[in-house]
Amino acid sequence: MLRRIRTDGDPVLRTCAREVKEVDEYVRRLIDDMLETMRAASGVGLAANQVGLLRRIIVVDVGAGVVAVINPEITACGEGEKAEEGCLSLPGQRVPVKRAPRIELRGLDRDGQPLVLSAEGLFARALQHEVDHLNGILIKDYREEWIVRDE
Ligand code: ZN
């Protein structure tokens, strides 16, 4: 089922998502909905916040297969690299964001089994972007001019 993608200004994008306690049919259906919604919008990733659900679930597909992770935790490695990112919740905006070039990610898969994966490049970037969403962080928060204006 397609779900409506929430855009900037919706408080759900600024709220921390809750841990998933049990990976059940509801969670699996939600993952399927998120994948369908992400593909329909030609996105490479989506977090549950973006479809209005405050659960710690992300989906990513940067062209090398689908990854769905429940309760993701990231260990970042290496000095940050800056590259422009877009976001389905911020249509038309591109923001340079510094991200770790390599990460290790732990969480649960759609069967509730422990999952560990290593990622680099665009895949690592997309995973970090989606985990940010679960913590209420948007790419526009990385805009440097905002910091300058505050001085
Ligand atoms: Zn996004």
Side-chain angles (χ1 to χ4, degrees):
M1 186 180 85
L2 274 181
R3 292 182 181 254
R4 183 169 64 86
I5 295 177
R6 307 303 176 91
T7 50
D8 195 17
D10 191 317
V12 82
L13 293 173
R14 291 307 200 176
T15 310
C16 218
R18 290 186 307 273
E19 194 184 341
V20 174
K21 299 280 185 210
E22 194 188 342
V23 182
D24 53 14
E25 277 310 310
Y26 171 78
V27 168
R28 280 187 278 275
R29 209 158 41 234
L30 180 52
I31 288 171
D32 290 340
D33 288 353
M34 287 169 65
L35 287 169
E36 192 182 337
T37 304
M38 175 185 79
R39 289 189 183 116
S42 301
V44 297
L46 202 65
N49 305 48
Q50 292 180 278
V51 291
L53 293 146
L54 290 167
R55 304 294 189 94
R56 298 190 80 80
I57 304 170
I58 61 170
V59 296
V60 166
D61 184 357
V62 293
V66 171
V67 179
V69 189
I70 298 153
N71 301 336
E73 305 244 8
I74 283 177
T75 306
C77 190
E79 197 177 329
E81 288 170 358
K82 207 179 259 187
E84 268 199 354
E85 292 181 17
C87 178
L88 293 175
S89 293
L90 300 164
Q93 292 194 38
R94 305 284 300 174
V95 180
V97 182
K98 208 174 187 182
R99 304 274 190 202
R102 290 178 301 283
I103 62 163
E104 187 173 279
L105 181 141
R106 289 166 186 276
L108 300 173
D109 67 15
R110 58 181 294 138
D111 297 314
Q113 297 302 309
L115 171 152
V116 182
L117 60 90
S118 299
E120 55 181 44
L122 180 59
F123 188 29
R125 178 169 291 277
L127 290 166
Q128 290 172 86
H129 177 119
E130 300 314 329
V131 170
D132 266 0
H133 275 300
L134 300 181
N135 297 325
I137 298 165
L138 297 172
I139 52 172
K140 66 179 197 174
D141 303 342
Y142 292 92
R143 272 206 195 114
E144 281 167 8
E145 70 247 30
W146 285 29
I147 298 161
V148 173
R149 270 187 209 133
D150 283 342
E151 284 172 353

